[in-house]
């Protein structure tokens, strides 16, 4: 597998197997316009560059781009999309190596081997992955698509996201293992010996057994056994879901709920997690860019996307450094307003001053620990102020219902008022739902398209129209149709919100690097090339965490807001929608939110 370097305008600058780190540094950092690296998978190549202290400015990830272009409705008629399945289809992502660990599978011993003769074939590994041919096919597909500018931005943002994910895994999230151990000891008791439960969990097991009059062999970790014991004791629980248990009046409920909560901490982020994932004072998460069908990221290790608040006290900045934590306010409703070009809904998100303070530019600064910017605008409060509904809770539940297909309770009650006040926004999600119910695809702002329902969906729909179809067949078909409509209803909003977040990260990544370095005595504990400059360390859908020298914290906060505004312009041009971010500058991640 080879790597391609391209210059501005797409001109091919070099094709090579892998250079020596010294040669690479000169090419990656030297020219005024840095090259765009094109490779099969960012995780196969970029970790090796980072380990040599090299940062790549721009890249084109062929695997990620191929998946987008093969499924996008905008490129459906292109040669790439209509070609039969090939080696680039279904290509699994390469797992990033932990720093100091083994190299990625099939990675060469050196990053480039420019001293060797160029291979005669552009597929030297014989795996069918020809990067030169694939890049040409992708560029042609974008140029001949129904939305070249949209797909070009989506592919660039997705590839930039892959670079950012690799960098976050490289630097790691600062983690105090001693603080984490204190958290676990406070919650669970001292660290148990292998094969034993922590003391507090064991005490709760005894209380559960006593409340159920169960034998000492009852294991609450076995759901079938626990449900049988609860049935025998007359508890009346049909499941172990929290919301159902809370409705019951029985002595077992309180210890069982407490046990479930502590057991989740113990298994998901207990001592075993600490030993595995928080090495050398850093949690190095493994993100999967585009791992969810909507374009959201997934995680294959460490549970980065389910990091509970109970352990965030262990996330402590290096001495002389701080965290800038930024959270996009009501991202999906704002995206919906912009997608639908619903000016009334956009106005509700700008506040009484027209959004001038909420869209604070580069001069804005963050408040102290746990503080938010004074210009933050609550869109749900804006909907109340516009007289659409009476309470913020009604506005929130109603908008979530509109985007996720809520048809009961408060959501159903306020939907007519939302539809009257914001007809374009509500019509967009309703139209997306109807398209899904017909088995059609829907497409995000930049061109990511939803998958079509599979053969099982089609078979169920077909059976409902058979001459001998019964009521059950029709009911299953209707239920399936509504479920797919709920999926497509949310797909356009959540997918476009993911695109906004990618553009936010790409802009922020560039802006942070441009801030430069701090003096050597202020360097943190992160590895090169980020030891002396601010860098992203964590991302969670609509929230970013930046690790920065304290002296640059105010500038980082300003650039974070400016990057959010830039992401909005990239996706929606001059449409008057704002994307305010709540920013906190803190020493511990736990202090970022009340």
């Amino acid at each position: 597998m080879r790597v391609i370097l391209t210059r501005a305008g797409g001109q091919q600058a070099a094709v090579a197997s892998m250079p020596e780190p010294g040669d690479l540094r000169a090419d990656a950092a030297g020219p005024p316009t840095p090259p765009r690296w094109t490779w099969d998978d960012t995780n196969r190549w970029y970790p090796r560059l980072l380990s040599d202290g090299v940062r790549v400015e721009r890249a084109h990830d062929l695997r990620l781009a191929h998946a987008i272009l093969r499924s996008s409705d905008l490129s459906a008629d292109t040669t790439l999309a209509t070609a039969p399945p090939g080696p680039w289809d279904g290509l699994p992502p390469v797992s990033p190596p932990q720093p100091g660990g083994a190299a990625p599978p099939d990675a060469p011993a050196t990053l480039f081997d420019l001293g060797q003769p160029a291979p005669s074939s552009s597929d030297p590994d014989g795996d069918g992955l020809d990067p030169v041919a694939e890049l040409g096919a992708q560029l042609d597909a974008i140029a001949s698509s129904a939305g070249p500018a949209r797909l070009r931005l989506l592919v660039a943002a997705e590839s930039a996201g892959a670079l950012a994910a690799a960098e976050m895994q490289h630097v790691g999230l600062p983690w105090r293992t001693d603080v984490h151990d204190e958290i676990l000891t406070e919650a669970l008791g001292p660290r148990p010996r292998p094969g034993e439960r922590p003391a507090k969990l064991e005490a709760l097991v005894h209380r559960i057994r006593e409340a159920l009059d169960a034998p000492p062999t009852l294991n609450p970790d076995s759901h079938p056994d626990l449900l049988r014991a609860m049935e025998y004791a007359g508890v009346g629980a049909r499941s172990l879901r929290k919301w159902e248990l809370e409705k019951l009046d029985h002595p077992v409920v309180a210890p069982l709920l407490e046990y479930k909560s502590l057991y989740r901490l113990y298994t998901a982020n207990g001592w075993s997690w600490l030993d595995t994932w928080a090495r050398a004072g850093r949690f190095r998460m493994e993100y999967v860019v585009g791992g969810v069908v909507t374009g959201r990221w997934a995680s294959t290790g460490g549970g980065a996307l389910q990091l509970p608040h109970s352990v965030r006290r262990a996330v402590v900045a290096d001495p002389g450094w701080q965290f800038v934590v930024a959270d996009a306010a009501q991202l999906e409703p704002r995206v919906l307003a912009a997608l639908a070009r619903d000016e009334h809904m956009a106005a509700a998100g700008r506040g009484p001053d027209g959004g001038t303070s909420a869209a604070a530019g580069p001069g804005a600064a963050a408040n102290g620990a746990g503080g938010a910017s004074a210009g933050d605008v609550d869109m749900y409060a804006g909907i109340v102020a516009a007289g659409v509904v009476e309470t913020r809770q009604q506005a929130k539940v109603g908008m979530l219902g509109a985007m996720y297909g809520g048809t009961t309770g408060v959501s159903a009650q306020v939907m007519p008022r939302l539809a009257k006040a914001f007809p374009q926004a509500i019509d967009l999600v309703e139209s997306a739902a109807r398209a899904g119910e017909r088995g059609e695809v829907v497409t995000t702002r930049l061109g990511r398209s939803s998958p079509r329902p599979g053969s099982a969906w089609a078979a169920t729909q077909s059976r409902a129209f058979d001459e001998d179809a019964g009521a059950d067949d029709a009911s299953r078909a209707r239920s399936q149709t509504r479920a797919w409509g709920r999926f497509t209803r949310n797909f356009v909003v959540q997918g476009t919100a993911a695109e906004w977040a990618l553009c936010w990260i790409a802009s922020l990544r560039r802006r942070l690097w441009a801030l430069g370095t701090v003096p050597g005595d202020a360097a943190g504990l992160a590895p090169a090339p980020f030891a002396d400059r601010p860098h992203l360390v964590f991302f969670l859908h609509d929230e970013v965490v930046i690790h920065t020298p304290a002296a640059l914290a105010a500038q980082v906060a300003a650039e974070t807001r400016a990057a959010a505004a830039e992401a909005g312009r990239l996706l929606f041009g001059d449409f008057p929608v704002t994307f305010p971010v709540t920013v906190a500058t803190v020493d511990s991640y736990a202090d970022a939110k009340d």
Side-chain angles (χ1 to χ4, degrees):
M1 187 63 213
R2 294 191 292 164
V3 176
I4 310 167
L5 281 74
T6 58
R7 299 294 184 195
Q11 292 183 326
Q12 185 172 306
V15 181
S17 296
M18 279 246 98
E20 295 298 328
D23 297 332
L24 178 61
R25 287 191 187 95
D27 208 337
T33 300
R36 175 180 284 111
W37 293 72
T38 299
W39 42 41
D40 61 332
D41 191 310
T42 298
N43 281 344
R44 184 186 299 277
W45 306 106
Y46 196 27
R48 301 293 296 275
L49 302 180
L50 290 168
S51 68
D52 287 324
V54 176
R55 174 186 179 271
V56 168
E57 177 71 20
R58 302 183 303 162
H60 180 107
D61 190 304
L62 292 168
R63 180 184 66 82
L64 293 173
H66 185 90
I68 290 170
L69 296 172
R70 280 286 274 183
S71 60
S72 175
D73 200 42
L74 298 181
S75 55
D77 296 328
T78 65
T79 301
L80 184 147
T82 56
W88 289 95
D89 293 298
L91 195 66
V94 173
S95 297
Q98 286 286 329
D106 304 321
T110 59
L111 201 49
F112 277 104
D113 192 9
L114 294 179
Q116 299 299 319
S120 58
S121 166
S122 58
D123 177 22
D125 297 331
D127 55 8
L129 301 178
D130 181 345
V132 178
E134 177 63 20
L135 177 61
Q138 291 186 11
L139 295 179
D140 178 70
I142 293 172
S144 58
S145 71
R150 294 163 64 185
L151 285 175
R152 193 174 293 115
L153 177 55
L154 177 55
V155 167
E158 188 97 329
S159 297
L163 292 175
E167 289 167 0
M168 284 187 274
Q169 198 263 350
H170 173 70
V171 298
L173 181 64
W175 203 278
R176 286 278 301 275
T177 56
D178 58 332
V179 174
H180 192 146
D181 181 74
E182 290 174 5
I183 293 169
L184 296 176
T185 303
E186 291 170 5
L188 301 167
R191 182 170 185 162
R193 290 180 293 184
E196 295 183 356
R197 291 189 183 93
K200 289 190 178 180
L201 283 181
E202 192 62 40
L204 288 168
V205 169
H206 287 298
R207 289 177 58 192
I208 291 168
R209 290 169 178 162
E210 289 176 359
L212 296 175
D213 194 22
T217 55
L218 174 65
N219 179 11
D221 302 335
S222 170
H223 286 192
D225 291 351
L226 182 58
L227 281 171
R228 279 194 294 270
M230 293 171 72
E231 181 181 6
Y232 181 80
V235 176
R238 292 176 296 178
S239 75
L240 296 176
R241 296 185 180 92
K242 180 181 178 181
W243 62 268
E244 183 172 343
L245 292 174
E246 289 175 337
K247 296 178 182 178
L248 303 176
D249 182 16
H250 192 278
V252 76
V253 171
L256 181 55
L257 288 175
E258 185 178 0
Y259 181 86
K260 284 167 59 69
S261 176
L262 294 179
Y263 183 77
R264 188 178 304 111
L265 171 64
Y266 175 55
T267 55
N269 297 98
W271 287 280
S272 178
W273 183 96
L274 191 58
D275 294 341
T276 303
W277 291 102
R279 298 184 219 158
R282 290 294 194 269
F283 166 36
R284 290 184 164 86
M285 66 292 293
E286 295 179 0
Y287 287 120
V288 181
V289 177
V292 179
V293 69
T294 59
R296 279 189 165 191
W297 293 10
S299 175
T300 58
L305 300 180
Q306 293 86 36
L307 198 63
H309 288 275
S310 58
V311 300
R312 293 185 181 183
R313 183 157 49 95
V315 182
V316 180
D318 293 344
W321 287 54
Q322 290 183 300
F323 293 123
V324 172
V325 182
D327 186 4
Q330 296 104 30
L331 177 58
E332 289 190 356
R334 294 174 190 277
V335 162
L336 172 57
L339 267 177
R341 302 192 73 80
D342 193 316
E343 294 189 3
H344 292 291
M345 187 170 169
R350 293 197 299 271
D353 63 354
T356 55
S357 60
N367 287 348
S373 67
D376 289 333
V377 173
D378 185 336
M379 189 175 200
Y380 300 131
I383 293 174
V384 174
V388 180
V389 294
E390 287 77 29
T391 68
R392 185 185 184 281
Q393 181 68 8
Q394 287 178 335
K396 181 177 181 178
V397 173
M399 287 309 307
L400 292 177
M403 293 183 294
Y404 287 86
T407 58
T408 60
V410 174
S411 180
Q413 294 171 16
V414 303
M415 184 59 70
R417 285 182 266 177
L418 293 175
K420 183 178 179 180
F422 313 125
Q424 292 166 276
I426 301 304
D427 181 66
L428 185 143
V429 289
E430 291 292 338
S431 296
R434 301 293 85 78
E437 290 172 359
R438 295 190 296 268
E440 301 170 358
V441 302
V442 295
T443 301
T444 63
R445 172 65 177 169
L446 295 186
R448 195 186 303 268
S449 294
S450 64
R452 294 186 182 275
S455 57
W457 187 92
T460 300
Q461 298 299 311
S462 178
R463 277 196 300 272
F465 290 96
D466 289 345
E467 292 184 1
D468 58 347
D472 289 345
D473 294 317
S475 177
R476 277 193 294 270
R478 284 194 300 270
S479 176
Q480 187 185 64
T481 296
R482 289 193 296 268
W484 200 259
R486 287 192 296 272
F487 164 67
T488 52
R489 171 193 294 272
N490 181 247
F491 183 95
V492 289
V493 180
Q494 187 182 112
T496 303
E499 292 166 354
W500 180 92
L502 280 173
C503 291
W504 187 30
I505 284 179
S507 175
L508 186 53
R509 176 178 175 269
R510 185 188 74 248
R511 291 167 180 273
L512 292 176
W513 186 260
L515 286 177
T517 63
V518 294
D521 57 359
L525 303 177
F530 302 101
D532 54 358
R533 59 201 316 152
H535 50 270
L536 286 159
V537 289
F538 191 61
F539 170 61
L540 182 63
H541 302 319
D542 55 4
E543 178 178 288
V544 295
V545 180
I546 301 155
H547 194 217
T548 178
L552 296 178
Q555 292 174 262
V556 167
E559 295 295 348
T560 301
R561 291 193 178 89
E566 181 181 7
R569 290 192 300 271
L570 283 170
L571 264 70
F572 305 113
D574 59 359
F575 183 76
V577 64
T578 57
F579 291 96
V581 290
T582 299
V583 179
T585 301
V586 295
D587 297 319
S588 170
Y589 188 20
D591 297 330
K593 291 184 179 180
D594 294 334

